[in-house]
């Protein structure tokens, strides 16, 4: 096995867990400071959380020779990171649905408030 990984597996998983919490918190903080760009901050946080398990795996898993196999259970170290990312992404999707629902409701209410008829 070529041991040319950048980070140990445990360190990469822990850093990924920390980044998955820090990215949305930083997005909420930045959105509070600059409200006009709040959706961009949350989009960046969404992408960071989405890509964090993949980046952690790329940085920590070593390259193998073509005839070698990974030790069993190597990728199970990333299971908490994947579960945490899935929960955070689900919450972002629910928040986006609520935002779109509120936007659609206000558009329909303003359209009906102006006495428009077909």
């Amino acid at each position: 096995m070529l041991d040319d990984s950048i980070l140990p597996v445990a360190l990469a998983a822990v850093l990924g867990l920390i980044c998955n919490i820090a990215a949305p918190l930083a997005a909420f903080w930045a959105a509070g400071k600059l409200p006009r760009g709040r959706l961009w901050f949350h989009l960046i946080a969404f992408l960071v959380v989405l890509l964090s398990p993949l980046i952690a795996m790329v940085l920590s898993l070593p390259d193998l020779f073509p005839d070698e196999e990974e030790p069993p259970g190597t990728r199970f170290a990333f299971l908490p990171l994947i579960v945490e990312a899935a929960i955070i992404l689900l919450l972002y999707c629910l928040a986006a649905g609520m935002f779109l629902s509120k936007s659609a409701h206000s558009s329909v209410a303003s359209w009906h408030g102006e006495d428009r008829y077909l």
Side-chain angles (χ1 to χ4, degrees), residues 22-37:
L25 290 177
F28 280 113
W29 178 81
K33 296 290 183 186
L34 301 168
R36 289 191 67 163

Side-chain angles (χ1 to χ4, degrees), residues 96-109:
M98 289 175 58
F99 178 73
L100 291 175
S101 171
K102 181 180 173 185
S103 175
H105 177 66
S106 65
S107 298
V108 170

Side-chain angles (χ1 to χ4, degrees), residues 32-89:
K33 296 290 183 186
L34 301 168
R36 289 191 67 163
R38 70 177 179 249
L39 293 178
W40 289 108
F41 295 126
H42 287 291
L43 176 67
I44 292 169
F46 181 85
L47 291 175
V48 165
V49 171
L50 181 68
L51 295 176
S52 66
L54 180 65
I55 292 172
M57 285 183 192
V58 167
L59 291 178
S60 64
L61 294 177
D63 292 334
L64 299 174
F65 289 119
D67 57 342
E68 285 186 331
E69 293 182 10
E70 290 182 344
T74 302
R75 297 188 189 260
F76 283 117
F78 297 105
L79 195 57
L81 180 62
I82 294 169
V83 169
E84 181 191 28
I87 291 170
I88 293 171
L89 294 175

Side-chain angles (χ1 to χ4, degrees), residues 4-23:
D4 60 350
S5 63
I6 296 173
L7 295 172
V9 174
L11 182 64
V14 169
L15 285 176
L17 291 170
I18 292 170
C19 287
N20 281 352
I21 297 295

